[in-house]
Amino acid sequence: MAFDWSAIPGSLPILWQGMLVTLQITLVGVLVGILVGTLLALFRLSPNRLLSWLSAAYVTVFRSIPLVMVLFWFHLILIPLLAGLLFPGQRLELRFITALAAFSLFEASYYAEIIRAGILSVTKGQFNAGLALGMNRRQVMRLVVLPQALRRMVPLLLTQAIILFQDSTLVYVINLDDFFRKAYNVGNTVGTLNELILFAGAVYLVICTLASGCVRQLHRRLTVLPVK
Amino acid sequence: MISIRNVSKWYGEFQALKKCSTEVDKGEVVVICGPSGSGKSTLIKCVNGLELFQEGEIWVDGISVADRKTDLPKLRSRVGMVFQHFELFPHLSILDNITLAQSRVLGRSKKQAVEKAVQLLEMVGLAEQRPKFPAQLSGGQQQRVAIARALAMDPIAMLFDEPTSALDPEMINEVLDVMVNLAQSGMTMLVVTHEMGFAKRVADRVIFMDRGEVVEDRPKQIFFENPETDRARQFLSKILTH
Ligand SMILES: Nc1ncnc2c1ncn2[C@@H]1O[C@H](COP(=O)(O)OP(=O)(O)O)[C@@H](O)[C@H]1O
Ligand SMILES: [Mg+2]
């Protein structure tokens, strides 16, 4: 079987367009995911029963549903419904927004569990030391516990980001042109689908391998750093 | 200054404190000793509201700890506490460990807070260490920083919970020296410790606890020379010959 790679150089600009979409979904998913995940973790650990229960329910629901379905539901039901309420009568291009929202909220449930474990790994003694100095619970959480928890969690948070980067290919189910779908489309049009998909796979492989290597390095540095 | 009246505390079914009472006057140094599990840490944590108790009263400088209306963070900011395992904040430098609560709780300016921190670090002999992180210091040094951190709040009293029992023997004295100086400077202190040398030097009274009860509460002379109960006598002979 002979391979024909000739279509790739000329289509690099198009592929780059797709890569930008992939990277944006990853970046927003990680940032919003960590933000919402932190809130969920704090709610989960709060003495307020209702907040704690709501947070637990959120995490359980999102972790029990396949990501593909979350994307579908956001695409077919939730986002059109919201758009209809907020901007009635307008036809809007919503697929990118849908992907951002779905990934952010889905990832938040995973980040919530990582961050909750991180918070719980900071000892009661540290919490008491903060309280004993006269700080209130919020201050202790923000100034003493969270900085330690997040630092300890950095490698796990980044590993989750790499998973998200790969999972973002699932946006093909809502016809959003990320890197993978651009490659697929180019291959389909030119007639060298196998080559384009192999190429796309190689790109994901290289990026993820490099990123994992960086995380390992960081993990090593962080464990040497003065963090108990 | 500190008044503990008939305090009882339960963890679920288990009664950790049984009608404990004592007083610590201004400038007094009171040592609490007793076997492990006798409720010493629990009692001392009740004083600044780190543990809640179900019965009795504790008053600190005229303020009731059990009163729901009491601003506990404010009360805690006025009572220093030193822990067995130091509990310095590992992600902050030595200097930041001492300035954090000064600025966040007392609202001191950065300059004021740093000045205070440096002055206290000099007092405990660690001024050079200020840019380092806790993990880079020995246990004895960390505990001295922890004392400086508590003193930076200008407390009206200090609580110590076995401040030297996590230390290697050769580091115990450097911490005790700081505590002796503090006691001699007139600080009101409630100290859980088994360092009877420290008690003999600076304590006014010694309390012996066993199974959640205050078994003895006497001037140190009397406690050491003529303890009333067999339990205290046995405990003393055990740790003094040790
Ligand atoms: N959070 C807790 N939950 C249940 N029991 C506890 C808790 N903390 C302490 N205890 C129990 O209370 C008793 C007194 O503990 P503590 O005050 O730590 O003793 P000490 O400091 O004298 O060694 C012990 O029997 C201990 O097991
Ligand atoms: Mg104890």
Side-chain angles (χ1 to χ4, degrees):
Chain A
M1 191 167 164
F3 286 110
D4 174 9
W5 305 102
S6 61
I8 293 174
S11 47
L12 282 180
I14 296 181
L15 294 176
W16 175 243
Q17 289 292 316
M19 184 50 86
L20 279 181
V21 171
T22 296
L23 290 176
Q24 280 168 11
I25 292 173
T26 306
L27 194 70
V28 171
V30 169
L31 292 181
V32 179
I34 289 178
L35 204 75
V36 177
T38 305
L39 285 179
L40 284 169
L42 290 176
F43 287 172
R44 181 72 189 273
L45 295 171
S46 93
N48 184 323
R49 287 270 180 82
L50 181 68
L51 281 184
S52 178
W53 185 87
L54 283 175
S55 165
Y58 180 103
V59 170
T60 309
V61 166
F62 270 96
R63 292 185 66 132
S64 313
I65 305 173
L67 178 51
V68 176
M69 284 181 202
V70 175
L71 272 167
F72 262 127
W73 289 342
F74 271 59
H75 177 57
L76 296 176
I77 304 170
L78 190 64
I79 298 287
L81 214 68
L82 282 179
L85 284 176
L86 294 174
F87 311 101
Q90 297 180 39
R91 282 189 60 83
L92 301 164
E93 170 48 53
L94 294 170
R95 281 175 299 181
F96 185 55
I97 296 288
T98 301
L100 293 183
F103 274 96
S104 297
L105 297 181
F106 184 83
E107 290 302 314
S109 66
Y110 283 81
Y111 281 123
E113 289 297 275
I114 295 176
I115 292 165
R116 185 167 76 104
I119 290 174
L120 290 175
S121 78
V122 179
T123 59
K124 183 97 185 292
Q126 283 284 301
F127 205 91
N128 276 346
L131 289 181
L133 285 164
M135 290 188 245
N136 59 39
R137 285 176 181 279
R138 267 171 189 235
Q139 286 176 314
V140 176
M141 206 34 120
R142 190 162 49 86
L143 302 168
V144 177
V145 178
L146 274 181
Q148 294 182 55
L150 288 174
R151 218 162 292 213
R152 233 171 273 180
M153 290 298 108
V154 163
L156 272 178
L157 295 176
L158 290 178
T159 303
Q160 185 64 28
I162 294 173
I163 296 173
L164 168 55
F165 176 70
Q166 297 169 10
D167 284 354
S168 67
T169 49
L170 286 175
V171 296
Y172 81 89
V173 301
I174 61 168
N175 294 329
L176 182 64
D177 285 352
D178 71 331
F179 176 69
F180 173 68
R181 232 178 86 101
K182 284 276 193 212
Y184 183 92
N185 289 344
V186 169
N188 231 355
T189 320
V190 183
T192 54
L193 185 56
N194 291 351
E195 286 82 349
L196 262 292
I197 287 182
L198 278 176
F199 173 71
V203 170
Y204 281 105
L205 181 73
V206 168
I207 292 180
C208 291
T209 312
L210 286 179
S212 299
C214 291
V215 173
R216 259 198 306 282
Q217 281 297 324
L218 195 71
H219 188 53
R220 211 165 291 153
R221 294 241 328 257
L222 279 176
T223 32
V224 193
L225 264 178
V227 177
K228 252 200 244 167
Chain B
M1 173 76 66
I2 299 173
S3 175
I4 301 171
R5 300 177 196 161
N6 283 317
V7 168
S8 294
K9 171 173 178 70
W10 287 261
Y11 289 110
E13 297 280 284
F14 175 74
Q15 188 167 8
L17 296 177
K18 297 171 189 160
K19 293 203 175 296
C20 294
S21 297
T22 192
E23 303 272 334
V24 185
D25 289 336
K26 192 164 187 302
E28 248 191 332
V29 176
V30 174
V31 161
I32 305 178
C33 61
S36 166
S38 57
K40 308 179 297 293
S41 299
T42 305
L43 182 65
I44 204 172
K45 279 193 246 168
C46 285
V47 172
N48 64 351
L50 288 181
E51 291 284 359
L52 303 173
F53 47 94
Q54 287 86 0
E55 282 178 13
E57 294 172 22
I58 296 181
W59 294 79
V60 178
D61 196 30
I63 295 165
S64 165
V65 178
D67 188 343
R68 284 168 147 255
K69 290 193 285 287
T70 296
D71 182 352
L72 277 181
K74 176 139 187 252
L75 180 100
R76 292 189 189 114
S77 74
R78 301 176 63 216
V79 179
M81 184 156 195
V82 175
F83 301 86
Q84 183 174 0
H85 297 289
F86 332 133
E87 304 297 351
L88 294 182
F89 304 133
H91 60 299
L92 298 178
S93 71
I94 297 307
L95 187 70
D96 291 342
N97 259 278
I98 305 180
T99 57
L100 180 72
Q102 287 190 71
S103 39
R104 301 291 179 148
V105 176
L106 301 180
R108 285 186 187 152
S109 72
K110 172 114 208 219
K111 184 159 162 287
Q112 283 175 309
V114 169
E115 248 168 46
K116 183 91 193 175
V118 170
Q119 176 202 330
L120 285 163
L121 281 173
E122 269 162 12
M123 190 190 95
V124 299
L126 294 169
E128 314 292 282
Q129 313 291 340
R130 76 188 88 149
K132 290 196 182 161
F133 283 85
Q136 295 169 287
L137 268 55
S138 73
Q141 290 174 321
Q142 289 190 52
Q143 195 60 299
R144 285 185 279 155
V145 172
I147 295 172
R149 179 175 71 175
L151 290 175
M153 305 297 282
D154 292 320
I156 55 171
M158 288 280 287
L159 310 172
F160 293 81
D161 190 1
E162 302 208 33
T164 58
S165 53
L167 295 175
D168 293 336
E170 71 271 18
M171 293 175 188
I172 289 176
N173 280 327
E174 65 190 59
V175 172
L176 288 180
D177 285 346
V178 171
M179 291 170 60
V180 167
N181 284 336
L182 197 58
Q184 287 168 346
S185 76
M187 177 61 77
T188 307
M189 294 164 65
L190 185 55
V191 184
V192 175
T193 185
H194 290 161
E195 293 295 330
M196 289 303 129
F198 171 82
K200 283 181 175 160
R201 269 176 84 183
V202 296
D204 296 294
R205 292 200 337 274
V206 179
I207 291 172
F208 173 71
M209 287 184 71
D210 193 17
R211 288 175 227 158
E213 282 176 287
V214 171
V215 177
E216 302 222 13
D217 181 352
R218 314 202 179 285
K220 81 174 157 198
Q221 203 93 17
I222 299 175
F223 179 78
F224 285 118
E225 286 169 10
N226 194 15
E228 198 158 279
T229 59
D230 284 341
R231 283 194 266 178
R233 206 166 296 135
Q234 279 167 9
F235 177 78
L236 271 179
S237 70
K238 221 180 275 171
I239 58 169
L240 288 180
T241 55
H242 190 62

